[in-house]
Amino acid sequence: MIDQLEAAFNYHQQALGLRQQRHKVLASNIANADTPGYKARDMDFAAELKKAVGKGGANNQGLALARTSERHIVGQGATSAQSGLLYRVPEQPSLDGNTVDMDRERTAFADNSVRYQAGLTILNSRIQGLKSAMQPE
C-alpha cells in the first residue's frame, strides 16, 4: 500500500524538487545581474523531470563510488545540483561579459513560481482526495 502511495506521488515530488532547484538558479541569476563576467544559467526542466521520473527518481540519483576492495561498503555520492544546468545564450551581451537579461529572468522566475504553486495545489488536492476516500461515511 505504501509503495503504491509513493509511486502515485513520485512525479509531483520530483517536479516540486526540480522547481525548487530552478528557483534557486534563477534567483542566483537575478542576484548576479551586476557582476561582471557572470554567465546566466538555467535548466531544461522537461528533460530533467523525464530523467528524474523515468529512471526511478531518488533510487538512481547520485554518482556511483568506486570500490577498491570487495570488503568496502557499496555507496553512492550525492548528485551535484549543477549537473543539469545550461548556460543561457544572451540576446544582447553586455560589454562586461555578463549575460543576465533581467526581463527574461524576472519572467522565468514568475513563471516558475506560478508553476510551483500549481504543483502544490494539485498535490494537495490529490492528498485531500485520498483522505476523503479513506474516511468512513
Side-chain angles (χ1 to χ4, degrees), residues 10-19 43-55 57:
N10 183 40
Y11 176 83
H12 295 293
Q13 177 184 0
Q14 296 295 331
L16 288 174
L18 286 172
R19 289 272 173 221
M43 69 171 58
D44 183 3
F45 182 80
E48 291 296 318
L49 183 61
K50 184 184 282 187
K51 185 169 48 171
V53 174
K55 292 187 177 182

Side-chain angles (χ1 to χ4, degrees), residues 69-99:
S69 171
E70 290 300 317
R71 296 185 315 186
H72 291 163
I73 297 173
V74 179
Q76 284 201 285
T79 58
S80 170
Q82 307 291 320
S83 64
L85 294 181
L86 307 170
Y87 287 102
R88 202 174 266 163
V89 178
E91 293 176 12
Q92 190 172 18
S94 63
L95 293 175
D96 65 357
N98 189 311
T99 61

